[in-house]
Each structure stands twice: as structure tokens, then as C-alpha cells.
């Protein structure tokens, strides 16, 4: 199997540049080439400009700005011969067959033998792309369809041709999985492949139906949202993100490629309103707005929504729909059974989409589990189309389709007396095309807690957390509160793990498969105790958290944190107390407590301070350490990737990073096992701190921000409490400060802050909106 050491991407547009950035994120050198612009002074200006633009983009294509150094900009006139050392060459140029094939002929003259070439096309069949190309080129060629933005979208669709070498495809599958963090789905060589074929049909159904039946965009996005397991953007918000101007190209591409008998043609049209919006520059978030826009006239920020009937904008409203309420309470079927106009809108959209998806098997692929995976990861659906049919009930769904005069696809007929998925003896299975169930198999090296939970019972469990035996002597601590907020139940389960593991198990992994590892401590509990002026109970909760985290840190077994998504506040603090962290690349972590008017109180200040103190690269003396930690916590800095977390020492240099989310548990378990051999707990750290003089300096800096209008009086109070903790209280530079000293300061200052009305107000705002209060 070819080893991928160097990659080239040709085409420095949004997709090509994004693909290059993700390859650089994997630590692989990549060459980014584009054409030479007519009359350009800098011949590689397009590729160079793309890199510069990505460095300024938000969300960032790079997991760390230094990754941009791994990209070498060039052009196809001067630098094509430099691709001779590349193991994989990705074509991401305009969707024109003549341009692509001309490029392939040039590449075939300079590439090394056995190098792999792929196209990021989403519309042109592979048999057409390689039509008259030499046999060896066709053998090394495949389609690799990335989704935008390539860093964040985990789906990669692969299409191989009749002449594609099997080992070439396997090389790309393995590299994309492990190095790029992609879930690879094999597709048949059909227009739109899997995700865009179904997804485009779904979007078009929703838009046309809303226009034809007088459904507002706010109503449509409410219906096609939480009840269906669709992101909060709904349909119209999603199109705004993608760009309205891209939709005509996608629609026409499918319209031209699909036979007239395909159901797509029944809904294929471009409404006049959308044509006018594009012409007027209303192309979505990248333009002046789209279906939604932000009106900033008069210095305000008012979200507006377009009226699909008149084309006029009006203040956007959050509709309260009985159909949606029924769906949120009782499930999707309750919503689509609702007889009002929005419930029936939901039924028409979901019934057409799911029936269409079922009718496409085996044309687009013969594996319903892979098709579900493509829709989950390509369009961020919580459930794939066949999982949604199971939620509705396959029999009920088929019966209702017949009642509406809709043809029931053969695949659905095979499932209507059962389901598309089932669990047998702890093994999840899916329905095959022959009517028999197949085991749902994971790629080698992938372990999922969801699978373990199907075949076993928890070692311990309460309403907030569980302990699972994941094999080889390792336990897994799983949080399962709302947003994985940490409270007394989670702390109790940590203490239970500390009691259970010694003598019976080798170590502990802290991991879950929710969207976010943990958003932090339970703010609701803090708010209630503060509101009731129960300072002794606040102090007790803080003390319990401190004691539990300290016991975890010094437990007689290794503890490995395995975060993904947000790990904020108390979630970050628990990672700081672990022996090691094996983080998913898309981990966003930080100590953000100042946003609710408090400071980290479960050892976060202490751990970050001591971590910087023992860092061999730190400047000499205590003041640089205190200043660095004060800046990080007082500004609530959040690392926007696991790589970036190392800059703040939320992760240590030797902590691991896993690119593929599905491989995180196995990697964390392997780390715990490696640490368990001859494990000894860490030694307590004693440091020196500068005391009151440093505190005064920090407070003066914050007061300067207040005078410039960048900090509120309560910000000054919170920063003052933080300065007291980080400077060591009343100590001076000659004294030694222990971890217990720092914990006592954290406890005292946090408890004091909860007495302020401003803290209570900030906590209430956070609970209500999910966002910090901006003064």
C-alpha cells in the first residue's frame, strides 16, 4: 500500500484550499496550485491569496495558524513538474470536463508511477472523467468528494471506476480515515453520489412546498428542525450558509444528469424570488443576507426574514407551533400526524424525502447503514433516512404513503413488517437488500461506547453518570446530564470510580459520545444557591468538587480524559486533573467561568498555574507565569482545536490528538493501558508566587480596561478575585505555595463572588440564553 507523505491540490478555490488546509492539519506537506491570472505580477497569486484568506477566516480552516506553513503555493504553468514527488494529487478545478481532462493529460506526464490521482467532482461520472485516459492513469484514479468546509464536515464520499486499483482506493480510505478524520462512504458512480442526491432533493422539496403553500421561512425551519433531528438552521438557514447562488448550479447539474423519470424533475424549478435575490446580491451569509438578514440600520442588530410571497423583509419571529410542540414532546410521528398546515408541511417534506431515499437503493449504494452515515455526516442530520423511517415505524410509513397515492419502494416493502435496524444478542444489525439482516461492523481499530452499551450493563450508574467496562481492565466514565453539565451526581460517580478501580481494574477513561464532552459545572445549582443566599452550601459544593478532582488526580491508577466538542469550565478542569488527555482534534476547551461572573473553583486556577510553573520553556521568575494564566482565565480564552489547546497548556505537549472521532475511545483506552504498567501517581507541586505586589499590577491593568469602556465594574471585581488567587493571596515571593493553599483561595474567592447580584444576573442570563451576558 502506498504511503501518503506529500499531497498536491490543484484548484485553490474554497473547496480546494479547504482540502489543502485539512491535509496540512494532518501534518502532511501539501502543494496548492492554480492558474496564472492574466496580467498578474505574482504568478501564484491565486494560491497565495487563498492561504492568506484562510488565515483570516472564521470558522478557521486551519487547526493552528502554523499549519499554513505546510502549504506551498504555486501555479500549474511553472510548478506542475514539482508534483513528481507527490503521492496523492487532488483535482478541485471548475466542473468542466474539457478542463479536467486537459489537466489529467498534463499530470500524467509528470506524476510518478503509482501516485494516486482523484477528483473532487460531485457531478461528473468517473467513467466520463477517465474516458480515453491511459489504462495506468485510470487504474490510479478515483473520485474523492469532500464536503464544505473540509475541516469540519466528517464525510468523504469515494467512487471507484471499473479500472481503479483496489489498493489505490484502500490507501485513500485509510489515509482519509486516520489522518484526515473522515468517515469514508463508498458510493456508486451516479449523479450527486449519495448525500447531495438525497440532500438536494430534500432542500428543494422544502423550499418549493413552502412557496406553494404559504409557509413562512420561520415556520418551515421550526418544522424541519428539532423534531426531525435536523440542525437548528433548518432548511432556509442552511441554504443561507451554503449560498443561494450555488443552488442553481447544483440543481441544474442534477437536472441535466438525471433521467426525466427521476422524481427530482417533479420539483425541479428555480423560483423567480430566488432569481431576484441572487441578482440583488442576497446570496446568503456571504452576501447582503439571504432568506434571513441582519438589519443594522440605526446601530441596531435586528434579524429579519424574507416573506416568500412578497419578497419583503420583516422582523423574524420564533413561531409557536402546536405541531412542533407535539413533535418535541412525543416524537416525529406526532408532528407529521398533526392536522394543521405546518404538521402537513412536515409530512409532505419528510415523506417525499424518505420515499425518494428508499427508491434510490441500490442505484446510489446497496448499504442502508452507509447511506444513513452519509446523511448524518454530510448534512448534519441526527438520524439518517432509514433511521427516521424506523422512528416513524416502517409499516405505518408505508401504509400512509399508499393512502397518499405515493408508490412504496421495494426496499420499504421489505422492511414494513419489521424495521431497517434491529439489535440481536447485543449486536446492531441492518436490513440487507436480500431481506436478511447484516451485522453493523466497525472499521478495524474503532471502538464505540454505544456498541458496548448494547451488550453489557454498567458497572455503576446514577442519574448523571455511568461506569462501563470497556475491556482489558479499563473502565469508562460517561456523563449523561443535559449538555453533560457537572454536578453532585457526576462527582459521586467519580468518587465511586476511585473506590471501585483499585485491585479490580487498571485505569479509567473519561469519555462520552455526546456532541460535547462537558459545558462545565451545573450553573443552575449555583444560581439557585446564590439566589437563596446559601453561601455555606455554595462553599460545600465547591469543596466537594475540589476534593473529588484532587482524589482523581492522585488516584492509584492512570486517568485519561478523552474530550470531543466543547470542554468548558468544569469540563476543562477535569481534563487538567487527568494524567493524560487523548483529545479529538475538534476539541474546544477553556476556563470560561468569568462569563458568569465567577472564577474557576474546582482546581482550574491551581492546575493551570502549576502546569505553567513546571513548563521547561517558561520565562524565569513567578510573574510571567502569573501574568500568562491571568490573561488566559480573565479573558475566558477558548482553544478552537486540540492543537491550539497546547498553546494554553490546556493540553500538554505529550497529550495525544485523534483526528477521527470514531477512533477516540480506542486511542484513549490504549493510552490508559500504556500508563498502567508501573503507574505511580504524580508528586504534588509547590511553587513560589509574587503576592500583593503582583495583584496590584494585575488590578491596575484591568482598571485600565474599565476606563476605556472594555470592562464593567463587575468584571473588575471578578478579575480582582482571580488576581488574589493567582498571586498567592497574602504570601510574598519568598514563601512556598502548596496546591491546598491555592484551592483554599479559589474556594474563598468563588464563594465571595456568588454573593454579588451581578453574578446572579449573569448566571440567570446564561441559563436562559446559553450565552454569557455582554454588558
Amino acid at each position: 500500500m502506498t504511503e501518503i507523505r506529500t499531497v498536491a491540490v490543484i484548484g485553490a478555490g474554497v473547496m480546494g484550499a479547504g482540502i489543502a488546509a485539512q491535509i496540512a492539519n494532518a501534518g502532511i506537506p501539501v502543494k496548492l496550485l492554480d492558474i496564472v491570472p492574466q496580467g498578474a505580477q505574482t504568478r501564484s497569486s491565486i494560491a497565495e491569496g487563498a492561504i492568506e484568506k484562510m488565515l483570516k477566516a472564521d470558522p478557521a480552516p486551519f487547526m493552528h495558524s502554523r499549519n499554513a506553513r505546510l502549504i506551498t503555493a504555486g501555479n500549474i504553468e511553472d510548478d506542475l513538474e514539482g508534483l513528481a514527488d507527490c503521492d496523492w494529487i487532488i483535482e478541485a478545478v471548475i466542473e468542466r470536463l474539457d478542463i479536467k481532462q486537459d489537466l489529467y493529460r498534463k499530470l500524467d506526464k509528470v506524476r510518478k508511477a503509482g501516485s494516486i490521482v482523484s477528483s473532487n467532482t460531485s457531478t461528473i461520472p468517473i467513467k466520463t472523467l477517465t474516458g480515453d485516459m491511459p489504462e495506468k492513469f485510470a487504474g490510479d484514479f478515483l473520485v474523492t468528494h469532500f464536503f464544505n468546509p473540509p475541516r469540519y464536515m466528517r464525510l468523504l464520499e469515494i467512487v471507484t471506476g471499473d479500472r481503479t486499483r483496489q489498493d489505490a482506493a484502500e490507501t485513500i480510505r485509510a489515509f482519509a480515515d486516520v489522518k484526515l478524520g473522515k468517515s469514508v462512504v463508498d458510493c456508486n458512480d451516479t449523479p450527486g453520489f449519495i448525500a447531495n442526491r438525497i440532500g438536494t432533493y430534500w432542500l428543494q422539496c422544502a423550499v418549493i412546498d413552502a412557496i406553494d403553500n404559504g409557509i413562512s421561512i420561520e415556520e418551515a425551519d421550526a418544522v424541519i428542525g428539532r423534531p426531525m433531528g435536523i440542525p437548528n438552521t433548518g432548511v432556509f438557514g442552511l441554504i443561507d450558509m451554503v449560498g443561494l447562488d450555488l443552488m442553481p448550479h447544483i440543481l441544474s447539474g442534477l437536472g441535466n444528469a438525471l433521467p426525466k423519470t427521476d422524481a427530482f424533475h417533479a420539483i425541479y424549478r428555480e423560483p423567480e424570488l430566488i432569481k431576484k435575490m441572487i441578482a440583488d446580491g442576497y446570496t446568503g451569509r456571504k452576501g447582503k443576507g439571504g432568506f434571513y438578514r441582519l438589519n443594522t440600520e440605526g446601530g441596531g442588530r435586528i434579524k429579519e426574514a424574507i416573506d416568500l410571497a412578497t419578497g419583503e423583509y420583516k422582523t423574524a419571529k420564533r413561531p409557536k407551533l402546536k405541531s412542533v410542540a407535539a413533535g418535541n414532546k412525543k416524537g416525529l410521528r406526532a408532528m407529521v400526524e398533526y392536522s394543521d398546515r405546518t404538521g402537513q408541511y412536515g409530512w409532505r417534506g419528510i415523506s417525499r424525502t424518505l420515499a425518494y431515499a428508499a427508491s434510490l437503493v441500490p442505484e446510489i449504494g446497496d448499504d442502508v447503514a452507509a447511506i444513513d452515515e452519509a446523511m448524518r455526516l454530510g448534512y448534519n442530520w441526527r438520524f439518517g433516512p432509514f433511521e427516521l423511517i424506523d422512528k416513524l415505524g416502517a409499516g405505518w410509513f408505508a401504509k400512509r404513503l399508499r393512502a397518499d397515492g405515493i408508490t412504496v419502494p421495494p426496499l420499504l416493502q421489505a422492511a414494513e413488517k419489521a424495521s431497517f435496524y434491529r439489535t440481536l444478542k447485543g449486536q446492531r444489525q441492518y436490513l440487507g437488500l436480500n431481506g436478511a439482516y447484516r451485522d453493523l461492523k466497525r472499521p478495524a481499530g474503532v471502538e464505540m461506547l454505544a456498541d458496548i452499551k448494547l451488550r453489557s450493563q454498567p458497572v455503576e450508574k446514577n442519574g448523571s453518570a455511568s461506569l462501563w467496562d470497556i475491556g482489558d481492565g479499563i473502565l469508562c466514565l460517561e456523563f449523561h446530564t443535559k449538555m453533560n453539565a457537572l454536578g453532585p451526581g457526576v462527582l459521586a460517580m467519580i468518587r465511586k470510580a476511585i473506590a471501585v478501580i483499585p485491585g479490580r481494574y487498571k485505569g479509567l477513561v473519561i469519555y462520552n459520545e455526546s456532541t460535547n464532552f462537558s459545558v462545565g459545572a451545573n450553573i443552575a445549582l449555583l444560581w439557585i444557591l446564590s439566589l437563596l443566599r446559601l453561601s455555606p452550601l455554595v462553599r460545600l459544593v465547591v469543596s466537594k468538587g475540589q476534593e473529588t478532582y484532587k482524589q482523581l488526580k492522585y488516584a492509584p491508577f492512570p486517568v485519561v480524559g478523552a474530550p470531543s466538542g466543547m470542554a468548558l469550565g468544569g469540563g476543562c478542569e477535569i481534563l487538567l486533573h487527568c494524567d493524560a488527555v487523548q483529545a479529538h482534534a475538534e476539541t474546544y476547551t477553556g476556563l470560561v467561568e468569568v462569563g458568569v461572573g465567577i472564577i474557576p473553583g474546582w482546581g482550574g486556577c491551581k492546575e493551570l498555574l502549576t502546569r505553567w510553573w513546571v513548563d521547561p520553556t517558561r520565562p524565569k521568575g513567578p510573574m510571567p507565569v502569573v501574568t500568562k494564566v491571568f490573561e488566559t482565565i480573565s479573558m475566558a480564552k477558548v482553544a478552537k482545536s486540540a492543537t491550539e489547546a497546547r498553546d494554553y497548556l490546556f493540553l500538554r505537549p505529550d497529550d495525544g490528538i485523534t483526528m477521527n472521532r470514531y477512533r477516540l475511545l480506542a486511542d484513549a483506552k490504549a493510552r490508559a493501558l500504556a500508563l498502567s504498567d508501573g503507574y505511580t501517581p504524580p508528586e504534588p507541586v509547590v511553587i513560589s508566587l509574587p503576592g500583593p505586589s503582583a495583584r496590584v499590577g494585575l488590578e491596575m491593568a484591568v482598571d485600565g480596561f474599565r476606563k476605556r469602556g472594555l470592562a464593567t465594574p463587575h468584571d473588575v471585581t471578578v478579575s480582582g478575585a482571580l488576581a488574589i488567587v493567582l498571586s498567592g493571596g497574602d504570601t510574598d515571593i519568598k514563601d512556598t505555595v502548596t496546591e491546598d493553599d491555592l484551592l483554599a483561595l479559589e474556594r474563598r474567592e468563588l464563594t465571595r463572588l456568588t454573593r454579588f447580584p451581578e453574578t446572579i444576573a449573569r448566571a440567570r442570563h446564561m441559563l436562559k440564553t446559553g450565552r454569557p451576558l455582554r454588558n
Side-chain angles (χ1 to χ4, degrees):
M1 187 183 293
T2 304
E3 184 177 353
I4 306 295
R5 296 189 183 92
T6 305
V7 179
V9 178
I10 304 178
V14 172
M15 279 303 300
I19 292 167
Q22 183 64 1
I23 293 167
N25 289 335
I28 304 296
V30 56
K31 300 176 182 181
L32 180 63
L33 276 57
D34 209 301
I35 62 171
V36 178
Q38 190 172 4
Q41 294 182 342
T42 304
R43 292 176 62 79
S44 300
S45 60
I46 293 179
E48 291 171 356
I51 297 168
E52 289 299 318
K53 188 175 182 180
M54 288 193 295
L55 283 167
K56 300 173 184 176
D58 187 18
F62 292 113
M63 292 180 179
H64 197 288
S65 58
R66 66 170 172 264
N67 293 347
R69 302 173 196 165
L70 287 168
I71 303 180
T72 302
N75 66 79
I76 58 176
E77 290 185 21
D78 304 328
D79 304 304
L80 215 57
E81 291 185 358
L83 306 191
D85 65 342
C86 291
D87 304 297
W88 182 16
I89 302 170
I90 304 169
E91 170 267 302
V93 303
I94 190 171
E95 291 286 83
R96 274 182 51 184
L97 180 62
D98 57 334
I99 292 176
K100 291 178 185 289
Q101 288 189 330
D102 181 62
L103 176 62
Y104 298 160
R105 293 185 187 97
K106 292 176 180 177
L107 288 175
D108 205 28
K109 293 177 181 177
V110 300
R111 72 186 185 97
K112 66 181 179 182
S115 62
I116 300 168
V117 182
S118 72
S119 174
N120 188 55
T121 184
S122 61
T123 59
I124 305 175
I126 191 171
K127 65 180 72 174
T128 304
L129 290 171
T130 58
D132 60 353
M133 294 300 296
E135 197 69 22
K136 284 188 177 180
F137 182 90
D140 295 334
F141 187 89
L142 65 157
V143 169
T144 51
H145 182 222
F146 290 81
F147 281 70
N148 193 34
R151 170 182 165 182
Y152 301 97
M153 300 303 289
R154 292 167 54 197
L155 176 63
L156 177 68
E157 293 179 323
I158 283 185
V159 181
T160 58
D162 295 337
R163 296 184 286 172
T164 306
R165 289 187 289 116
Q166 185 175 347
D167 60 328
E170 191 51 46
T171 294
I172 299 303
R173 286 189 193 99
F175 181 84
D177 173 354
V178 177
K179 295 293 186 178
L180 301 183
K182 302 301 178 186
S183 182
V184 178
V185 172
D186 288 290
C187 309
N188 291 338
D189 192 16
T190 58
F193 309 135
I194 292 176
N196 279 347
R197 180 76 174 274
I198 298 171
T200 303
Y201 181 88
W202 163 66
L203 291 172
Q204 186 71 354
C205 270
V207 171
I208 296 300
D209 195 314
I211 291 173
D212 290 349
N213 290 288
I215 304 294
S216 73
I217 66 171
E218 300 102 307
E219 289 173 331
D221 285 347
V223 170
I224 305 178
R226 180 180 164 190
M228 294 186 185
I230 305 297
N232 290 335
T233 55
V235 166
F236 291 95
L238 175 60
I239 295 174
D240 277 354
M241 287 178 61
V242 173
L244 273 74
D245 54 328
L246 293 181
M247 292 305 295
H249 299 289
I250 296 170
L251 292 169
S252 63
L254 281 177
N256 294 332
L258 293 173
K260 296 301 181 183
T261 55
D262 193 276
F264 174 79
H265 288 283
I267 57 167
Y268 173 33
R269 73 175 195 264
E270 186 179 357
E272 291 300 320
L273 172 63
I274 295 178
K275 289 181 183 178
K276 185 177 187 304
M277 290 173 68
I278 295 171
D280 292 345
Y282 286 93
T283 56
R285 294 188 183 183
K286 63 185 177 183
K288 296 190 292 185
F291 293 110
Y292 296 98
R293 73 176 184 184
L294 201 62
N295 189 336
T296 57
E297 291 181 4
R301 291 173 61 87
I302 300 172
K303 185 178 181 181
E304 296 181 333
I306 200 166
D307 187 309
L308 294 175
T310 66
E312 301 294 325
Y313 283 94
K314 60 186 186 324
T315 301
K317 297 178 181 178
R318 182 172 293 180
K320 295 182 179 180
L321 305 175
K322 293 181 179 180
S323 60
V324 173
N328 289 337
K329 186 176 181 179
K330 299 180 181 179
L332 175 58
R333 185 164 156 182
M335 184 184 77
V336 299
E337 285 184 320
Y338 215 83
S339 59
D340 71 1
R341 50 195 286 277
T342 56
Q344 291 314 292
Y345 170 74
W347 163 249
R348 289 191 300 272
I350 200 71
S351 62
R352 292 174 185 174
T353 300
L354 299 185
Y356 186 62
S359 74
L360 295 177
V361 182
E363 179 191 345
I364 61 174
D366 58 2
D367 184 333
V368 300
I371 292 171
D372 278 346
E373 177 82 341
M375 294 311 298
R376 285 195 304 268
L377 299 186
Y379 277 76
N380 283 332
W381 289 14
R382 185 178 179 187
F383 309 104
F386 300 101
E387 292 172 313
L388 284 171
I389 292 174
D390 278 357
K391 286 192 168 295
L392 291 169
W396 177 89
F397 183 60
K399 182 178 179 180
R400 178 123 186 226
L401 288 180
R402 291 190 184 99
D404 285 1
I406 300 174
T407 301
V408 178
L411 183 64
L412 179 54
Q413 293 177 29
E416 66 177 305
K417 292 184 179 179
S419 60
F420 282 104
Y421 292 92
R422 72 177 187 183
T423 300
L424 183 66
K425 297 179 180 178
Q427 172 64 55
R428 196 176 189 214
Q429 298 179 322
Y430 65 93
L431 187 66
L433 295 184
N434 61 358
Y437 285 92
R438 304 177 186 175
D439 287 348
L440 185 61
K441 295 181 180 179
R442 307 290 185 186
V446 171
E447 293 183 40
M448 300 295 292
L449 187 58
D451 295 339
I452 293 169
K453 291 161 72 172
L454 286 177
R455 60 177 182 261
S456 63
Q457 296 294 318
V459 175
E460 297 285 349
K461 182 178 182 179
N462 62 27
S464 301
S466 300
L467 289 175
W468 297 92
D469 186 338
I470 58 174
D472 299 314
I474 303 297
L475 284 189
C476 175
L477 171 63
E478 176 199 25
F479 312 142
H480 42 71
T481 56
K482 184 178 181 181
M483 296 290 285
N484 288 331
L486 307 175
V490 172
L491 296 178
M493 192 54 61
I494 294 173
R495 293 192 295 273
K496 179 66 73 172
I498 294 169
V500 165
I501 291 175
R504 293 176 57 188
Y505 299 93
K506 297 178 181 179
L508 178 68
V509 167
I510 304 175
Y511 165 91
N512 61 72
E513 288 168 0
S514 300
T515 302
N516 296 304
F517 177 75
S518 173
V519 297
N522 188 337
I523 297 297
L525 177 62
L526 174 67
W527 175 62
I528 291 170
L529 295 178
S530 301
L531 195 62
L532 297 175
R533 308 294 188 197
L534 298 176
S535 292
L537 288 181
V538 171
R539 191 177 300 108
L540 177 63
V541 170
V542 175
S543 297
K544 276 294 182 184
Q546 290 182 340
E547 292 167 9
T548 302
Y549 278 21
K550 182 180 178 182
Q551 290 171 21
L552 187 71
K553 178 179 179 178
Y554 294 110
F557 52 83
V559 179
V560 175
S564 179
M566 290 190 290
L568 304 176
C572 179
E573 286 179 298
I574 200 169
L575 296 176
L576 290 170
H577 286 79
C578 292
D579 294 287
V581 172
Q582 185 71 35
H584 180 224
E586 298 297 348
T587 295
Y588 319 116
T589 188
L591 297 169
V592 297
E593 286 84 352
V594 295
V596 288
I598 58 174
I599 61 172
W602 284 355
C605 299
K606 174 259 298 182
E607 284 300 311
L608 197 59
L609 195 60
T610 56
R611 188 168 284 193
W612 275 99
W613 179 264
V614 300
D615 179 48
T617 66
R618 72 173 176 86
K620 299 298 182 183
M623 197 60 199
V625 170
V626 171
T627 303
K628 181 67 177 179
V629 177
F630 181 81
E631 177 186 295
T632 300
I633 298 176
S634 66
M635 298 180 69
K637 290 189 174 181
V638 174
K640 295 182 179 179
S641 71
T643 305
E644 197 175 279
R646 287 173 170 160
D647 292 353
Y648 301 107
L649 287 188
F650 296 139
L651 265 63
R652 290 157 290 208
D654 58 347
D655 283 331
I657 297 176
T658 298
M659 291 293 282
N660 193 321
R661 177 70 175 81
Y662 291 152
R663 295 185 175 275
L664 182 58
L665 179 59
D667 289 351
K669 175 181 167 182
R671 189 71 187 276
L673 284 169
L675 289 171
S676 67
D677 187 18
Y679 175 79
T680 56
E683 291 293 326
V685 177
V686 176
I687 64 176
S688 297
L689 291 174
S693 59
R695 182 171 73 245
V696 171
L698 295 174
E699 289 172 344
M700 288 176 63
V702 174
D703 193 55
F705 281 105
R706 181 191 63 79
K707 290 176 179 177
R708 290 160 55 195
L710 301 176
T712 68
H714 192 57
D715 290 332
V716 175
T717 300
V718 175
S719 297
L722 179 62
I724 290 171
V725 175
L726 297 182
S727 62
D730 296 325
T731 185
D732 63 47
I733 199 166
K734 298 178 182 178
D735 292 329
T736 56
V737 181
T738 67
E739 293 184 12
D740 285 341
D741 293 333
L742 290 170
L743 288 175
L745 288 171
E746 279 187 14
R747 188 164 58 246
R748 185 189 77 189
E749 293 303 309
L750 191 154
T751 303
R752 181 173 66 85
L753 287 171
T754 61
R755 301 186 187 121
F756 285 83
E758 292 90 341
T759 298
I760 297 171
R762 290 188 182 193
R764 182 168 56 244
H765 179 82
M766 174 70 82
L767 288 169
K768 184 177 180 180
T769 67
R771 298 186 302 274
L773 180 63
R774 302 296 182 190
N775 291 290

